[in-house]
Structure formats: C-alpha cells, structure tokens
Amino acid sequence: MSNGTEVNTTNPTLSVDIDLTKHLPEDVYVGFSASTGSQVELNCVKSWSFNSTNVENGISLQKQLLWLWIMIPTLVIVVLCGLAGYLVWKREENKKKRRDPYIIYRLESSTASPCSFPLKELKSATRNYDPINKLGKEGFGTVYKGFLKQINMEVAIKRVSEDSRQGKEEFISEATIISHLEHRNLVKLYGWCYENDELLLIYKLMPNGSLDKFMYPDHDSRKAPEIILSWERRFNIICGVASALDYLHDGCEKRVLHRDVKASSVMLDAEFNAKLGDFGLARTVQQDGETHYSTKVIAGTYGYRAPECFLTNRATVETDVYGFGVFVMEVSCGRRPGNKLQQDKNHQYVGNCIIDWVLDLHGKQHILEAMDPRLELNFSKDQAGEYLC
C-alpha cells in the first residue's frame, strides 16, 4: 500500500502478510472494493498479484476421494458377504457328501416301492415343522401332518429325533422292512428322505391318529378326542392287529418280529380300522428255519416285554404274542400296563401289574370287573370274558 504520489510501488508504505486460510472458508472469490464516505477521495489500484489453487480442480479431487471412501468399504462388505455365502453353500454341500454310505446302501438296495423325497419339499409340506402341524411323538421321532404336491395328498411325516441314540438304525429298520410289506392292517409307507443329516419317513395319513389318544384322553388335553371307543370298535381293532401280526409272522416272505406292539403303535383310519405301525424296533428273521432274533439290548416297551426277554435277550414269535396279549388287556381294560392299580384293601400292584390284576380278578371269578368302566357294561360278556381269559 502506497501514499498514491509515488509511481514506483516496489517499496510500499505498508505491507502485511496474512494467512487467509485462518480467516476465510476453503472456497472464496477475490475482488476489490472501496468507499469514500462523505469525502471526495481518489482510490487507485496501480498493481496487484494473486496466486491460488484451481477451485474446480479442488472440488473434483474431493469428490474423487469421497467416492473412494464410499466404494472401498462397500467392496469389502460385498466380498465378505460373498465369502460367507460361499462357505455356507460349501458346508451344505459337504453335509450332502458326508451322508453315511451305509444308510444310502441299505435304503437304495432294500426299499422296493417307496421313493426318495427332497428335503426342501418336506419342509415346505410341514411349513418347516410348524408346531401347529404336529400330530404327536412316537417311537424315535415326531410326526407332522403335511401336504405333498408330488403325490397330491396329505401325508404323515415322521422326523427322526436328533437325540435318539439308535435313530439311524431304527430309521433303516422301519424304511427297509415295511417297504416290502403289503397288508390292509399295516400303515402304508410312501417314501423316505436323507439329506443334511435329516432322516424322515413319509406315511399315509391316518385321520384318527393313534389308538392311545382314545384310550387315554388325558394324553394331551388340548387335542384329545371326546369319543369313547365302543366295544365293537375295540373288538375290531384287536382283530385287525391280530391279523397284522399273523401276516408278519407267517404271511410274508421273511418273518418279521415287531417287538413293540402297543396302543401308541396302532393307527386308526377314518373308519377306526387298525393299522399297525412304528416298525423302528422290528427285525426280520433272515435264514430259513430261524426262529428268533438275538440282541445285546432288551428291546420293547416296559410292561409289554415277555419275562424271558430279560434272561435270553431273544425276540421270538412268542414274545410278540405275549406283547399282543398285554395289548388286548390294555384295550379291554382301558388301563396302561405299567400303572399302579389300587384294589380292595388298598393293595397295590407294581410292574407289569395289569396282568397280575386281571389274573387276580379271574381267580375270584370277577373277570368282567376288569373291563373299562367307560363302556358302562355295553359289551358282550361272553366275548369279553374269552378275550381276557
């Protein structure tokens, strides 16, 4: 800044260096202005110089840096998500490849008519095992109701429990044995599924469920039907199970020992006809002339097992018949085999008490007192007496 009288401005009167970055924003416009106020004054800019960075280039560089800060994290997230998806897919593929070859061999070489269903379709049919579709729990798994588009009908789908110690063996047994059987009093198996360590069996749906729900209404108070089975229906059910056992023992190519005949193993169709199922413990007698199946572990349900099973560890036709006899008493009396039953003089029977209880009444010539009181004496006395004796 000069006094205005000097032509040479190389040595200005006043010169001050100011760091404008501390006082001005990043982007500014530069110009000159002056005011004379109320006096007349001559202002003259004789020379000036100004240096700065290109504002447009600065803004462009900032935009580029901003895009880099956005794109780099986005790419990292996309890569990580893709890697995670690949690992999940690889794990599922490995599960399929890890399928037990022994199970696959037994299923594919032994099953005749039943086919393999995809797991995706079964999950869809049960709405991913929705509890509202649960029919009950039996043997080694939980049973669900579902609709299979592949065969266009409602089915019962048994899902093997993951915590079942012998689930795989029982699954193989049920799938391979019942697939070769054809009888009006046996449940019909449509197929099986073995994927992602999931074991499932697909059966024809029995509208009335299992027999035990009618025998013991308190089994599930929310779903228990209020129908009391008449003696005629019970008699028909007993005859149906007897016919099924006769077929298993002497009517099929290889003798089959069921080893677990009880109320919860018997399903009822729309007309209350009996269909024997739950073949998880069943075994075939392979060789000609063989009469028993030996096992290291005692199979069957407590209360239905023959006493000799505890000594010999053998399953025979006779042990099946013994279990059927307990079943007949159960259906006729409407009582569980293992319950404590109180009699006169407050005497209690424990263990396989239904047999002791019926035998005691038979010895006293009061066998008809063992009949289910819900029948209200509406049964054939001669017929009931013959069955219980």
Side-chain angles (χ1 to χ4, degrees):
M1 178 178 179
S2 67
N3 57 11
T5 59
E6 300 178 3
V7 177
N8 189 357
T9 59
T10 56
N11 296 312
T13 302
L14 178 63
S15 178
V16 179
D17 291 331
I18 301 176
D19 186 357
L20 295 179
T21 60
K22 298 180 180 179
H23 306 281
L24 298 176
E26 188 173 355
D27 299 331
V28 296
Y29 292 92
V30 179
F32 299 93
S33 66
S35 175
T36 59
S38 59
Q39 304 296 326
V40 177
E41 182 178 316
L42 176 64
N43 295 291
C44 179
V45 178
K46 294 186 176 181
S47 68
W48 65 280
S49 65
F50 179 80
N51 295 316
S52 72
T53 58
N54 190 310
V55 175
E56 295 297 327
N57 289 340
I59 295 175
S60 177
L61 180 60
Q62 291 172 8
K63 288 182 178 180
Q64 291 177 5
L65 291 174
L66 180 61
W67 276 108
L68 284 176
W69 278 109
I70 294 175
M71 291 301 297
I72 290 176
T74 302
L75 287 174
V76 170
I77 293 173
V78 170
V79 170
L80 290 177
C81 290
L83 180 61
Y86 171 77
L87 292 176
V88 171
W89 173 81
K90 194 68 176 176
R91 185 183 64 182
E92 296 300 322
E93 288 297 311
N94 288 337
K95 280 185 178 180
K96 293 180 181 179
K97 292 179 181 179
R98 285 202 311 266
R99 294 195 303 176
D100 191 334
Y102 171 71
I103 295 179
I104 296 298
Y105 169 75
R106 289 289 304 275
L107 291 173
E108 294 182 348
S109 63
S110 300
T111 54
S113 55
C115 59
S116 173
F117 288 86
L119 179 61
K120 182 178 180 180
E121 185 173 346
L122 298 182
K123 283 188 174 182
S124 176
T126 60
R127 296 182 181 178
N128 200 24
Y129 312 117
D130 191 332
I132 198 172
N133 290 322
K134 182 178 177 180
L135 295 176
K137 192 174 182 68
E138 61 175 66
F140 58 92
T142 304
V143 183
Y144 297 87
K145 180 176 70 174
F147 183 84
L148 276 182
K149 296 179 181 179
Q150 185 172 337
I151 57 178
N152 194 34
M153 66 172 57
E154 284 190 322
V155 295
I157 300 173
K158 180 187 284 188
R159 185 187 188 194
V160 176
S161 302
E162 295 180 359
D163 56 353
S164 176
R165 291 179 299 175
Q166 297 180 334
K168 290 184 178 180
E169 282 299 324
E170 293 173 343
F171 168 80
I172 293 173
S173 174
E174 189 149 0
T176 57
I177 291 177
I178 201 170
S179 63
H180 295 282
L181 305 176
E182 188 69 34
H183 190 272
R184 65 181 181 277
N185 293 113
L186 295 178
V187 294
K188 183 175 179 57
L189 179 69
Y190 286 133
W192 52 271
C193 174
Y194 179 32
E195 287 184 31
N196 295 356
D197 293 331
E198 289 263 23
L199 298 170
L200 301 106
L201 294 165
I202 300 92
Y203 292 97
K204 182 178 180 180
L205 181 66
M206 295 289 105
N208 282 316
S210 59
L211 174 60
D212 63 323
K213 292 183 179 180
F214 290 90
M215 298 303 302
Y216 315 112
D218 59 344
H219 180 76
D220 189 339
S221 58
R222 294 171 300 172
K223 299 181 180 179
E226 297 181 356
I227 300 175
I228 298 176
L229 295 178
S230 65
W231 172 248
E232 289 73 18
R233 280 181 172 169
R234 299 189 195 202
F235 179 76
N236 183 57
I237 290 169
I238 292 172
C239 290
V241 175
S243 178
L245 277 179
D246 180 62
Y247 168 77
L248 294 177
H249 294 163
D250 298 309
C252 49
E253 182 180 354
K254 295 178 180 179
R255 173 171 289 173
V256 177
L257 304 176
H258 189 278
R259 303 203 300 170
D260 201 21
V261 178
K262 56 185 178 181
S264 61
S265 300
V266 177
M267 309 302 292
L268 303 175
D269 65 12
E271 288 75 35
F272 290 90
N273 294 311
K275 308 286 183 179
L276 182 61
D278 203 357
F279 278 72
L281 297 179
R283 294 294 184 268
T284 56
V285 179
Q286 302 284 354
Q287 301 174 359
D288 294 336
E290 190 173 359
T291 59
H292 65 272
Y293 176 85
S294 298
T295 178
K296 295 180 179 179
V297 181
I298 299 174
T301 303
Y302 180 80
Y304 299 87
R305 293 185 295 232
E308 60 266 29
C309 290
F310 296 91
L311 300 174
T312 64
N313 285 345
R314 288 182 175 184
T316 64
V317 170
E318 288 75 20
T319 59
D320 259 5
V321 172
Y322 181 93
F324 172 72
V326 177
F327 167 77
V328 171
M329 293 183 183
E330 178 184 20
V331 175
S332 302
C333 302
R335 306 194 186 194
R336 299 180 187 275
N339 282 354
K340 293 181 179 180
L341 302 178
Q342 188 170 1
Q343 265 204 288
D344 296 338
K345 299 181 182 179
N346 296 324
H347 184 68
Q348 291 182 340
Y349 295 94
V350 186
N352 205 5
C353 54
I354 195 171
I355 296 178
D356 299 330
W357 182 62
V358 171
L359 287 176
D360 185 69
L361 288 175
H362 179 266
K364 295 177 180 180
Q365 304 296 318
H366 298 300
I367 190 64
L368 295 181
E369 292 182 11
M371 295 295 290
D372 192 341
R374 291 173 296 178
L375 293 173
E376 298 179 346
L377 298 179
N378 293 320
F379 54 84
S380 169
K381 296 177 176 56
D382 293 337
Q383 197 175 61
E386 289 177 2
Y387 268 73
L388 290 178
C389 293

